[in-house]
PDB file of all heavy atoms in Angstrom:
ATOM      1  N   ASN M   1       0.602  18.891  -7.744  1.00  0.00           N
ATOM      2  CA  ASN M   1       0.543  19.041  -6.295  1.00  0.00           C
ATOM      3  C   ASN M   1       1.720  18.350  -5.614  1.00  0.00           C
ATOM      4  O   ASN M   1       2.383  17.496  -6.182  1.00  0.00           O
ATOM      5  CB  ASN M   1      -0.758  18.468  -5.747  1.00  0.00           C
ATOM      6  CG  ASN M   1      -1.989  19.180  -6.257  1.00  0.00           C
ATOM      7  OD1 ASN M   1      -1.956  20.391  -6.483  1.00  0.00           O
ATOM      8  ND2 ASN M   1      -3.073  18.439  -6.434  1.00  0.00           N
ATOM      9  N   GLN M   2       1.949  18.721  -4.355  1.00  0.00           N
ATOM     10  CA  GLN M   2       2.959  18.043  -3.559  1.00  0.00           C
ATOM     11  C   GLN M   2       2.386  16.756  -2.978  1.00  0.00           C
ATOM     12  O   GLN M   2       1.164  16.579  -2.903  1.00  0.00           O
ATOM     13  CB  GLN M   2       3.468  18.953  -2.444  1.00  0.00           C
ATOM     14  CG  GLN M   2       2.430  19.292  -1.393  1.00  0.00           C
ATOM     15  CD  GLN M   2       2.980  20.204  -0.308  1.00  0.00           C
ATOM     16  OE1 GLN M   2       4.107  20.693  -0.401  1.00  0.00           O
ATOM     17  NE2 GLN M   2       2.190  20.433   0.719  1.00  0.00           N
ATOM     18  N   ARG M   3       3.264  15.864  -2.559  1.00  0.00           N
ATOM     19  CA  ARG M   3       2.825  14.634  -1.933  1.00  0.00           C
ATOM     20  C   ARG M   3       2.204  14.933  -0.571  1.00  0.00           C
ATOM     21  O   ARG M   3       2.766  15.678   0.224  1.00  0.00           O
ATOM     22  CB  ARG M   3       3.997  13.667  -1.789  1.00  0.00           C
ATOM     23  CG  ARG M   3       3.592  12.260  -1.390  1.00  0.00           C
ATOM     24  CD  ARG M   3       4.785  11.306  -1.427  1.00  0.00           C
ATOM     25  NE  ARG M   3       5.335  11.186  -2.776  1.00  0.00           N
ATOM     26  CZ  ARG M   3       6.307  10.346  -3.112  1.00  0.00           C
ATOM     27  NH1 ARG M   3       6.832   9.535  -2.198  1.00  0.00           N
ATOM     28  NH2 ARG M   3       6.758  10.315  -4.356  1.00  0.00           N
ATOM     29  N   GLU M   4       1.040  14.338  -0.291  1.00  0.00           N
ATOM     30  CA  GLU M   4       0.332  14.587   0.950  1.00  0.00           C
ATOM     31  C   GLU M   4      -0.062  13.280   1.618  1.00  0.00           C
ATOM     32  O   GLU M   4      -0.300  12.268   0.958  1.00  0.00           O
ATOM     33  CB  GLU M   4      -0.921  15.434   0.707  1.00  0.00           C
ATOM     34  CG  GLU M   4      -1.976  14.748  -0.142  1.00  0.00           C
ATOM     35  CD  GLU M   4      -3.230  15.581  -0.324  1.00  0.00           C
ATOM     36  OE1 GLU M   4      -3.315  16.684   0.244  1.00  0.00           O
ATOM     37  OE2 GLU M   4      -4.144  15.121  -1.053  1.00  0.00           O
ATOM     38  N   LEU M   5      -0.158  13.318   2.934  1.00  0.00           N
ATOM     39  CA  LEU M   5      -0.570  12.160   3.705  1.00  0.00           C
ATOM     40  C   LEU M   5      -2.050  11.884   3.490  1.00  0.00           C
ATOM     41  O   LEU M   5      -2.865  12.800   3.492  1.00  0.00           O
ATOM     42  CB  LEU M   5      -0.284  12.378   5.192  1.00  0.00           C
ATOM     43  CG  LEU M   5      -0.572  11.209   6.140  1.00  0.00           C
ATOM     44  CD1 LEU M   5       0.431  11.198   7.274  1.00  0.00           C
ATOM     45  CD2 LEU M   5      -1.988  11.303   6.706  1.00  0.00           C
ATOM     46  N   VAL M   6      -2.390  10.608   3.308  1.00  0.00           N
ATOM     47  CA  VAL M   6      -3.777  10.174   3.188  1.00  0.00           C
ATOM     48  C   VAL M   6      -4.220   9.486   4.477  1.00  0.00           C
ATOM     49  O   VAL M   6      -5.241   9.849   5.070  1.00  0.00           O
ATOM     50  CB  VAL M   6      -3.973   9.230   1.996  1.00  0.00           C
ATOM     51  CG1 VAL M   6      -5.412   8.719   1.934  1.00  0.00           C
ATOM     52  CG2 VAL M   6      -3.597   9.933   0.692  1.00  0.00           C
ATOM     53  N   ALA M   7      -3.479   8.471   4.915  1.00  0.00           N
ATOM     54  CA  ALA M   7      -3.837   7.714   6.110  1.00  0.00           C
ATOM     55  C   ALA M   7      -2.624   6.958   6.613  1.00  0.00           C
ATOM     56  O   ALA M   7      -1.763   6.559   5.830  1.00  0.00           O
ATOM     57  CB  ALA M   7      -4.976   6.732   5.820  1.00  0.00           C
ATOM     58  N   THR M   8      -2.558   6.754   7.928  1.00  0.00           N
ATOM     59  CA  THR M   8      -1.507   5.944   8.533  1.00  0.00           C
ATOM     60  C   THR M   8      -2.117   4.979   9.537  1.00  0.00           C
ATOM     61  O   THR M   8      -3.219   5.205  10.053  1.00  0.00           O
ATOM     62  CB  THR M   8      -0.444   6.796   9.248  1.00  0.00           C
ATOM     63  OG1 THR M   8      -1.058   7.568  10.282  1.00  0.00           O
ATOM     64  CG2 THR M   8       0.267   7.707   8.265  1.00  0.00           C
ATOM     65  N   ILE M   9      -1.379   3.920   9.830  1.00  0.00           N
ATOM     66  CA  ILE M   9      -1.796   2.939  10.823  1.00  0.00           C
ATOM     67  C   ILE M   9      -0.557   2.368  11.494  1.00  0.00           C
ATOM     68  O   ILE M   9       0.440   2.073  10.845  1.00  0.00           O
ATOM     69  CB  ILE M   9      -2.666   1.823  10.189  1.00  0.00           C
ATOM     70  CG1 ILE M   9      -3.207   0.871  11.259  1.00  0.00           C
ATOM     71  CG2 ILE M   9      -1.894   1.079   9.106  1.00  0.00           C
ATOM     72  CD1 ILE M   9      -4.286  -0.071  10.732  1.00  0.00           C
ATOM     73  N   THR M  10      -0.609   2.220  12.820  1.00  0.00           N
ATOM     74  CA  THR M  10       0.494   1.628  13.560  1.00  0.00           C
ATOM     75  C   THR M  10       0.295   0.128  13.665  1.00  0.00           C
ATOM     76  O   THR M  10      -0.769  -0.411  13.358  1.00  0.00           O
ATOM     77  CB  THR M  10       0.609   2.228  14.964  1.00  0.00           C
ATOM     78  OG1 THR M  10      -0.517   1.810  15.753  1.00  0.00           O
ATOM     79  CG2 THR M  10       0.656   3.749  14.906  1.00  0.00           C
ATOM     80  N   SER M  11       1.339  -0.566  14.134  1.00  0.00           N
ATOM     81  CA  SER M  11       1.230  -2.008  14.321  1.00  0.00           C
ATOM     82  C   SER M  11       0.181  -2.361  15.367  1.00  0.00           C
ATOM     83  O   SER M  11      -0.349  -3.475  15.349  1.00  0.00           O
ATOM     84  CB  SER M  11       2.584  -2.596  14.720  1.00  0.00           C
ATOM     85  OG  SER M  11       3.057  -2.018  15.922  1.00  0.00           O
ATOM     86  N   GLY M  12      -0.129  -1.424  16.270  1.00  0.00           N
ATOM     87  CA  GLY M  12      -1.161  -1.633  17.267  1.00  0.00           C
ATOM     88  C   GLY M  12      -2.564  -1.296  16.796  1.00  0.00           C
ATOM     89  O   GLY M  12      -3.521  -1.466  17.557  1.00  0.00           O
ATOM     90  N   GLY M  13      -2.691  -0.793  15.555  1.00  0.00           N
ATOM     91  CA  GLY M  13      -4.000  -0.541  14.987  1.00  0.00           C
ATOM     92  C   GLY M  13      -4.501   0.888  15.106  1.00  0.00           C
ATOM     93  O   GLY M  13      -5.644   1.164  14.725  1.00  0.00           O
ATOM     94  N   TYR M  14      -3.688   1.807  15.606  1.00  0.00           N
ATOM     95  CA  TYR M  14      -4.103   3.205  15.674  1.00  0.00           C
ATOM     96  C   TYR M  14      -4.050   3.832  14.294  1.00  0.00           C
ATOM     97  O   TYR M  14      -3.063   3.683  13.573  1.00  0.00           O
ATOM     98  CB  TYR M  14      -3.220   3.982  16.649  1.00  0.00           C
ATOM     99  CG  TYR M  14      -3.342   3.500  18.069  1.00  0.00           C
ATOM    100  CD1 TYR M  14      -2.384   2.657  18.610  1.00  0.00           C
ATOM    101  CD2 TYR M  14      -4.411   3.888  18.866  1.00  0.00           C
ATOM    102  CE1 TYR M  14      -2.497   2.206  19.916  1.00  0.00           C
ATOM    103  CE2 TYR M  14      -4.531   3.446  20.168  1.00  0.00           C
ATOM    104  CZ  TYR M  14      -3.572   2.604  20.690  1.00  0.00           C
ATOM    105  OH  TYR M  14      -3.686   2.159  21.988  1.00  0.00           O
ATOM    106  N   THR M  15      -5.098   4.550  13.923  1.00  0.00           N
ATOM    107  CA  THR M  15      -5.218   5.111  12.581  1.00  0.00           C
ATOM    108  C   THR M  15      -5.320   6.621  12.613  1.00  0.00           C
ATOM    109  O   THR M  15      -5.757   7.224  13.601  1.00  0.00           O
ATOM    110  CB  THR M  15      -6.446   4.549  11.852  1.00  0.00           C
ATOM    111  OG1 THR M  15      -7.628   4.848  12.601  1.00  0.00           O
ATOM    112  CG2 THR M  15      -6.319   3.042  11.689  1.00  0.00           C
ATOM    113  N   ASN M  16      -4.926   7.223  11.500  1.00  0.00           N
ATOM    114  CA  ASN M  16      -5.033   8.662  11.310  1.00  0.00           C
ATOM    115  C   ASN M  16      -5.354   8.925   9.846  1.00  0.00           C
ATOM    116  O   ASN M  16      -4.798   8.267   8.962  1.00  0.00           O
ATOM    117  CB  ASN M  16      -3.733   9.364  11.704  1.00  0.00           C
ATOM    118  CG  ASN M  16      -3.844  10.867  11.628  1.00  0.00           C
ATOM    119  OD1 ASN M  16      -4.693  11.461  12.272  1.00  0.00           O
ATOM    120  ND2 ASN M  16      -2.977  11.493  10.836  1.00  0.00           N
ATOM    121  N   TYR M  17      -6.259   9.889   9.600  1.00  0.00           N
ATOM    122  CA  TYR M  17      -6.704  10.186   8.249  1.00  0.00           C
ATOM    123  C   TYR M  17      -6.625  11.670   7.961  1.00  0.00           C
ATOM    124  O   TYR M  17      -6.857  12.508   8.839  1.00  0.00           O
ATOM    125  CB  TYR M  17      -8.155   9.757   8.041  1.00  0.00           C
ATOM    126  CG  TYR M  17      -8.409   8.278   8.169  1.00  0.00           C
ATOM    127  CD1 TYR M  17      -8.771   7.720   9.384  1.00  0.00           C
ATOM    128  CD2 TYR M  17      -8.294   7.439   7.062  1.00  0.00           C
ATOM    129  CE1 TYR M  17      -9.009   6.360   9.498  1.00  0.00           C
ATOM    130  CE2 TYR M  17      -8.535   6.084   7.169  1.00  0.00           C
ATOM    131  CZ  TYR M  17      -8.893   5.547   8.390  1.00  0.00           C
ATOM    132  OH  TYR M  17      -9.133   4.189   8.496  1.00  0.00           O
ATOM    133  N   ALA M  18      -6.341  11.992   6.705  1.00  0.00           N
ATOM    134  CA  ALA M  18      -6.501  13.353   6.249  1.00  0.00           C
ATOM    135  C   ALA M  18      -7.976  13.729   6.296  1.00  0.00           C
ATOM    136  O   ALA M  18      -8.857  12.897   6.056  1.00  0.00           O
ATOM    137  CB  ALA M  18      -5.968  13.506   4.821  1.00  0.00           C
ATOM    138  N   ASP M  19      -8.258  14.993   6.605  1.00  0.00           N
ATOM    139  CA  ASP M  19      -9.645  15.439   6.690  1.00  0.00           C
ATOM    140  C   ASP M  19     -10.409  15.190   5.388  1.00  0.00           C
ATOM    141  O   ASP M  19     -11.609  14.893   5.407  1.00  0.00           O
ATOM    142  CB  ASP M  19      -9.711  16.921   7.041  1.00  0.00           C
ATOM    143  CG  ASP M  19      -9.333  17.204   8.479  1.00  0.00           C
ATOM    144  OD1 ASP M  19      -9.350  16.272   9.304  1.00  0.00           O
ATOM    145  OD2 ASP M  19      -9.028  18.373   8.787  1.00  0.00           O
ATOM    146  N   SER M  20      -9.733  15.288   4.263  1.00  0.00           N
ATOM    147  CA  SER M  20     -10.389  15.159   2.974  1.00  0.00           C
ATOM    148  C   SER M  20     -10.906  13.752   2.681  1.00  0.00           C
ATOM    149  O   SER M  20     -11.740  13.586   1.794  1.00  0.00           O
ATOM    150  CB  SER M  20      -9.438  15.593   1.854  1.00  0.00           C
ATOM    151  OG  SER M  20      -8.265  14.796   1.852  1.00  0.00           O
ATOM    152  N   VAL M  21     -10.421  12.746   3.417  1.00  0.00           N
ATOM    153  CA  VAL M  21     -10.833  11.367   3.151  1.00  0.00           C
ATOM    154  C   VAL M  21     -11.569  10.725   4.314  1.00  0.00           C
ATOM    155  O   VAL M  21     -12.054   9.590   4.177  1.00  0.00           O
ATOM    156  CB  VAL M  21      -9.634  10.482   2.755  1.00  0.00           C
ATOM    157  CG1 VAL M  21      -8.862  11.107   1.598  1.00  0.00           C
ATOM    158  CG2 VAL M  21      -8.713  10.220   3.945  1.00  0.00           C
ATOM    159  N   LYS M  22     -11.695  11.405   5.434  1.00  0.00           N
ATOM    160  CA  LYS M  22     -12.386  10.843   6.587  1.00  0.00           C
ATOM    161  C   LYS M  22     -13.830  10.483   6.232  1.00  0.00           C
ATOM    162  O   LYS M  22     -14.533  11.259   5.593  1.00  0.00           O
ATOM    163  CB  LYS M  22     -12.369  11.821   7.761  1.00  0.00           C
ATOM    164  CG  LYS M  22     -11.024  11.948   8.444  1.00  0.00           C
ATOM    165  CD  LYS M  22     -11.088  12.926   9.609  1.00  0.00           C
ATOM    166  CE  LYS M  22      -9.741  13.036  10.297  1.00  0.00           C
ATOM    167  NZ  LYS M  22      -9.760  14.032  11.389  1.00  0.00           N
ATOM    168  N   GLY M  23     -14.246   9.303   6.652  1.00  0.00           N
ATOM    169  CA  GLY M  23     -15.585   8.831   6.366  1.00  0.00           C
ATOM    170  C   GLY M  23     -15.726   8.129   5.037  1.00  0.00           C
ATOM    171  O   GLY M  23     -16.758   7.504   4.784  1.00  0.00           O
ATOM    172  N   ARG M  24     -14.726   8.236   4.172  1.00  0.00           N
ATOM    173  CA  ARG M  24     -14.759   7.601   2.858  1.00  0.00           C
ATOM    174  C   ARG M  24     -13.703   6.514   2.697  1.00  0.00           C
ATOM    175  O   ARG M  24     -13.947   5.506   2.044  1.00  0.00           O
ATOM    176  CB  ARG M  24     -14.581   8.641   1.750  1.00  0.00           C
ATOM    177  CG  ARG M  24     -15.653   9.722   1.740  1.00  0.00           C
ATOM    178  CD  ARG M  24     -15.532  10.614   0.513  1.00  0.00           C
ATOM    179  NE  ARG M  24     -14.256  11.326   0.476  1.00  0.00           N
ATOM    180  CZ  ARG M  24     -13.347  11.186  -0.491  1.00  0.00           C
ATOM    181  NH1 ARG M  24     -13.572  10.368  -1.509  1.00  0.00           N
ATOM    182  NH2 ARG M  24     -12.215  11.885  -0.445  1.00  0.00           N
ATOM    183  N   PHE M  25     -12.517   6.735   3.269  1.00  0.00           N
ATOM    184  CA  PHE M  25     -11.405   5.793   3.147  1.00  0.00           C
ATOM    185  C   PHE M  25     -11.195   5.071   4.470  1.00  0.00           C
ATOM    186  O   PHE M  25     -11.396   5.649   5.550  1.00  0.00           O
ATOM    187  CB  PHE M  25     -10.108   6.512   2.789  1.00  0.00           C
ATOM    188  CG  PHE M  25     -10.047   7.106   1.408  1.00  0.00           C
ATOM    189  CD1 PHE M  25     -11.164   7.187   0.599  1.00  0.00           C
ATOM    190  CD2 PHE M  25      -8.838   7.583   0.924  1.00  0.00           C
ATOM    191  CE1 PHE M  25     -11.101   7.740  -0.669  1.00  0.00           C
ATOM    192  CE2 PHE M  25      -8.755   8.138  -0.342  1.00  0.00           C
ATOM    193  CZ  PHE M  25      -9.888   8.220  -1.142  1.00  0.00           C
ATOM    194  N   THR M  26     -10.758   3.821   4.397  1.00  0.00           N
ATOM    195  CA  THR M  26     -10.423   3.043   5.574  1.00  0.00           C
ATOM    196  C   THR M  26      -9.082   2.360   5.369  1.00  0.00           C
ATOM    197  O   THR M  26      -8.896   1.639   4.389  1.00  0.00           O
ATOM    198  CB  THR M  26     -11.493   1.978   5.871  1.00  0.00           C
ATOM    199  OG1 THR M  26     -12.765   2.598   6.047  1.00  0.00           O
ATOM    200  CG2 THR M  26     -11.135   1.208   7.139  1.00  0.00           C
ATOM    201  N   ILE M  27      -8.151   2.593   6.296  1.00  0.00           N
ATOM    202  CA  ILE M  27      -6.867   1.918   6.252  1.00  0.00           C
ATOM    203  C   ILE M  27      -6.905   0.741   7.213  1.00  0.00           C
ATOM    204  O   ILE M  27      -7.481   0.824   8.302  1.00  0.00           O
ATOM    205  CB  ILE M  27      -5.705   2.880   6.590  1.00  0.00           C
ATOM    206  CG1 ILE M  27      -4.352   2.210   6.323  1.00  0.00           C
ATOM    207  CG2 ILE M  27      -5.794   3.401   8.012  1.00  0.00           C
ATOM    208  CD1 ILE M  27      -3.166   3.177   6.397  1.00  0.00           C
ATOM    209  N   SER M  28      -6.312  -0.368   6.812  1.00  0.00           N
ATOM    210  CA  SER M  28      -6.239  -1.549   7.660  1.00  0.00           C
ATOM    211  C   SER M  28      -4.904  -2.238   7.426  1.00  0.00           C
ATOM    212  O   SER M  28      -4.192  -1.945   6.469  1.00  0.00           O
ATOM    213  CB  SER M  28      -7.409  -2.504   7.404  1.00  0.00           C
ATOM    214  OG  SER M  28      -7.406  -2.960   6.064  1.00  0.00           O
ATOM    215  N   ARG M  29      -4.580  -3.169   8.317  1.00  0.00           N
ATOM    216  CA  ARG M  29      -3.265  -3.796   8.286  1.00  0.00           C
ATOM    217  C   ARG M  29      -3.369  -5.242   8.726  1.00  0.00           C
ATOM    218  O   ARG M  29      -4.032  -5.546   9.714  1.00  0.00           O
ATOM    219  CB  ARG M  29      -2.317  -3.012   9.205  1.00  0.00           C
ATOM    220  CG  ARG M  29      -0.906  -3.509   9.293  1.00  0.00           C
ATOM    221  CD  ARG M  29      -0.067  -2.509  10.076  1.00  0.00           C
ATOM    222  NE  ARG M  29       1.309  -2.942  10.229  1.00  0.00           N
ATOM    223  CZ  ARG M  29       2.290  -2.188  10.697  1.00  0.00           C
ATOM    224  NH1 ARG M  29       2.048  -0.931  11.057  1.00  0.00           N
ATOM    225  NH2 ARG M  29       3.512  -2.675  10.805  1.00  0.00           N
ATOM    226  N   ASP M  30      -2.713  -6.122   8.000  1.00  0.00           N
ATOM    227  CA  ASP M  30      -2.613  -7.523   8.356  1.00  0.00           C
ATOM    228  C   ASP M  30      -1.139  -7.787   8.644  1.00  0.00           C
ATOM    229  O   ASP M  30      -0.346  -7.978   7.724  1.00  0.00           O
ATOM    230  CB  ASP M  30      -3.128  -8.419   7.233  1.00  0.00           C
ATOM    231  CG  ASP M  30      -3.187  -9.885   7.626  1.00  0.00           C
ATOM    232  OD1 ASP M  30      -2.431 -10.306   8.520  1.00  0.00           O
ATOM    233  OD2 ASP M  30      -3.996 -10.618   7.030  1.00  0.00           O
ATOM    234  N   ASN M  31      -0.772  -7.778   9.915  1.00  0.00           N
ATOM    235  CA  ASN M  31       0.632  -7.920  10.282  1.00  0.00           C
ATOM    236  C   ASN M  31       1.202  -9.283   9.887  1.00  0.00           C
ATOM    237  O   ASN M  31       2.379  -9.388   9.535  1.00  0.00           O
ATOM    238  CB  ASN M  31       0.812  -7.687  11.784  1.00  0.00           C
ATOM    239  CG  ASN M  31       0.597  -6.242  12.177  1.00  0.00           C
ATOM    240  OD1 ASN M  31       0.915  -5.328  11.420  1.00  0.00           O
ATOM    241  ND2 ASN M  31       0.060  -6.026  13.369  1.00  0.00           N
ATOM    242  N   ALA M  32       0.384 -10.331   9.949  1.00  0.00           N
ATOM    243  CA  ALA M  32       0.851 -11.662   9.578  1.00  0.00           C
ATOM    244  C   ALA M  32       1.228 -11.731   8.106  1.00  0.00           C
ATOM    245  O   ALA M  32       2.130 -12.482   7.724  1.00  0.00           O
ATOM    246  CB  ALA M  32      -0.204 -12.709   9.909  1.00  0.00           C
ATOM    247  N   LYS M  33       0.527 -10.957   7.268  1.00  0.00           N
ATOM    248  CA  LYS M  33       0.803 -10.930   5.839  1.00  0.00           C
ATOM    249  C   LYS M  33       1.712  -9.776   5.434  1.00  0.00           C
ATOM    250  O   LYS M  33       2.018  -9.634   4.251  1.00  0.00           O
ATOM    251  CB  LYS M  33      -0.502 -10.842   5.051  1.00  0.00           C
ATOM    252  CG  LYS M  33      -1.417 -12.048   5.219  1.00  0.00           C
ATOM    253  CD  LYS M  33      -2.679 -11.895   4.389  1.00  0.00           C
ATOM    254  CE  LYS M  33      -3.589 -13.099   4.537  1.00  0.00           C
ATOM    255  NZ  LYS M  33      -4.843 -12.941   3.745  1.00  0.00           N
ATOM    256  N   ASN M  34       2.103  -8.955   6.403  1.00  0.00           N
ATOM    257  CA  ASN M  34       2.936  -7.779   6.131  1.00  0.00           C
ATOM    258  C   ASN M  34       2.311  -6.896   5.057  1.00  0.00           C
ATOM    259  O   ASN M  34       2.996  -6.401   4.162  1.00  0.00           O
ATOM    260  CB  ASN M  34       4.349  -8.197   5.725  1.00  0.00           C
ATOM    261  CG  ASN M  34       5.031  -9.030   6.773  1.00  0.00           C
ATOM    262  OD1 ASN M  34       5.010  -8.683   7.961  1.00  0.00           O
ATOM    263  ND2 ASN M  34       5.645 -10.132   6.364  1.00  0.00           N
ATOM    264  N   THR M  35       1.008  -6.697   5.168  1.00  0.00           N
ATOM    265  CA  THR M  35       0.253  -5.995   4.148  1.00  0.00           C
ATOM    266  C   THR M  35      -0.615  -4.906   4.768  1.00  0.00           C
ATOM    267  O   THR M  35      -1.218  -5.113   5.824  1.00  0.00           O
ATOM    268  CB  THR M  35      -0.630  -6.969   3.357  1.00  0.00           C
ATOM    269  OG1 THR M  35       0.197  -7.944   2.718  1.00  0.00           O
ATOM    270  CG2 THR M  35      -1.437  -6.244   2.296  1.00  0.00           C
ATOM    271  N   VAL M  36      -0.670  -3.762   4.096  1.00  0.00           N
ATOM    272  CA  VAL M  36      -1.561  -2.685   4.480  1.00  0.00           C
ATOM    273  C   VAL M  36      -2.511  -2.428   3.320  1.00  0.00           C
ATOM    274  O   VAL M  36      -2.135  -2.545   2.150  1.00  0.00           O
ATOM    275  CB  VAL M  36      -0.779  -1.411   4.872  1.00  0.00           C
ATOM    276  CG1 VAL M  36       0.010  -0.851   3.695  1.00  0.00           C
ATOM    277  CG2 VAL M  36      -1.716  -0.358   5.448  1.00  0.00           C
ATOM    278  N   TYR M  37      -3.754  -2.088   3.649  1.00  0.00           N
ATOM    279  CA  TYR M  37      -4.794  -1.871   2.653  1.00  0.00           C
ATOM    280  C   TYR M  37      -5.359  -0.468   2.780  1.00  0.00           C
ATOM    281  O   TYR M  37      -5.347   0.138   3.849  1.00  0.00           O
ATOM    282  CB  TYR M  37      -5.939  -2.867   2.825  1.00  0.00           C
ATOM    283  CG  TYR M  37      -5.524  -4.314   2.815  1.00  0.00           C
ATOM    284  CD1 TYR M  37      -5.226  -4.978   3.996  1.00  0.00           C
ATOM    285  CD2 TYR M  37      -5.432  -5.024   1.617  1.00  0.00           C
ATOM    286  CE1 TYR M  37      -4.844  -6.308   3.993  1.00  0.00           C
ATOM    287  CE2 TYR M  37      -5.054  -6.354   1.607  1.00  0.00           C
ATOM    288  CZ  TYR M  37      -4.763  -6.989   2.796  1.00  0.00           C
ATOM    289  OH  TYR M  37      -4.387  -8.316   2.782  1.00  0.00           O
ATOM    290  N   LEU M  38      -5.884   0.038   1.685  1.00  0.00           N
ATOM    291  CA  LEU M  38      -6.636   1.277   1.697  1.00  0.00           C
ATOM    292  C   LEU M  38      -7.921   1.056   0.914  1.00  0.00           C
ATOM    293  O   LEU M  38      -7.886   0.938  -0.315  1.00  0.00           O
ATOM    294  CB  LEU M  38      -5.837   2.430   1.089  1.00  0.00           C
ATOM    295  CG  LEU M  38      -6.501   3.802   1.175  1.00  0.00           C
ATOM    296  CD1 LEU M  38      -6.561   4.275   2.634  1.00  0.00           C
ATOM    297  CD2 LEU M  38      -5.762   4.828   0.322  1.00  0.00           C
ATOM    298  N   GLN M  39      -9.040   0.955   1.631  1.00  0.00           N
ATOM    299  CA  GLN M  39     -10.349   0.845   1.006  1.00  0.00           C
ATOM    300  C   GLN M  39     -10.861   2.251   0.734  1.00  0.00           C
ATOM    301  O   GLN M  39     -11.014   3.041   1.666  1.00  0.00           O
ATOM    302  CB  GLN M  39     -11.322   0.092   1.907  1.00  0.00           C
ATOM    303  CG  GLN M  39     -12.726  -0.042   1.346  1.00  0.00           C
ATOM    304  CD  GLN M  39     -12.791  -0.902   0.110  1.00  0.00           C
ATOM    305  OE1 GLN M  39     -12.211  -1.981   0.075  1.00  0.00           O
ATOM    306  NE2 GLN M  39     -13.479  -0.423  -0.919  1.00  0.00           N
ATOM    307  N   MET M  40     -11.132   2.560  -0.519  1.00  0.00           N
ATOM    308  CA  MET M  40     -11.545   3.889  -0.935  1.00  0.00           C
ATOM    309  C   MET M  40     -12.962   3.809  -1.486  1.00  0.00           C
ATOM    310  O   MET M  40     -13.197   3.173  -2.514  1.00  0.00           O
ATOM    311  CB  MET M  40     -10.588   4.460  -1.981  1.00  0.00           C
ATOM    312  CG  MET M  40      -9.136   4.493  -1.531  1.00  0.00           C
ATOM    313  SD  MET M  40      -8.042   5.289  -2.738  1.00  0.00           S
ATOM    314  CE  MET M  40      -8.145   4.089  -4.068  1.00  0.00           C
ATOM    315  N   ASN M  41     -13.895   4.444  -0.802  1.00  0.00           N
ATOM    316  CA  ASN M  41     -15.289   4.490  -1.216  1.00  0.00           C
ATOM    317  C   ASN M  41     -15.694   5.921  -1.544  1.00  0.00           C
ATOM    318  O   ASN M  41     -15.029   6.876  -1.155  1.00  0.00           O
ATOM    319  CB  ASN M  41     -16.196   3.943  -0.108  1.00  0.00           C
ATOM    320  CG  ASN M  41     -15.929   2.501   0.228  1.00  0.00           C
ATOM    321  OD1 ASN M  41     -15.590   1.696  -0.638  1.00  0.00           O
ATOM    322  ND2 ASN M  41     -16.093   2.153   1.500  1.00  0.00           N
TER     323      ASN M  41
END
């Protein structure tokens, strides 16, 4: 398959998800740690 978007998050906390993962995945960001997370359930 080609590379596809899963989720994005801005520095202000706005998020966007692919339809296939909505309700199952959560993206979050810790700006102080310069780290982004993807919780996949």
Side-chain angles (χ1 to χ4, degrees):
N1 297 326
Q2 66 180 7
R3 191 173 298 185
E4 65 178 358
L5 184 146
V6 177
T8 60
I9 185 168
T10 69
S11 59
Y14 296 100
T15 59
N16 185 58
Y17 297 92
D19 288 342
S20 60
V21 307
K22 287 181 179 177
R24 300 188 298 119
F25 291 10
T26 302
I27 189 170
S28 61
R29 180 172 179 170
D30 187 335
N31 290 326
K33 296 181 179 179
N34 302 313
T35 299
V36 63
Y37 305 92
L38 185 68
Q39 179 66 46
M40 304 184 293
N41 298 325

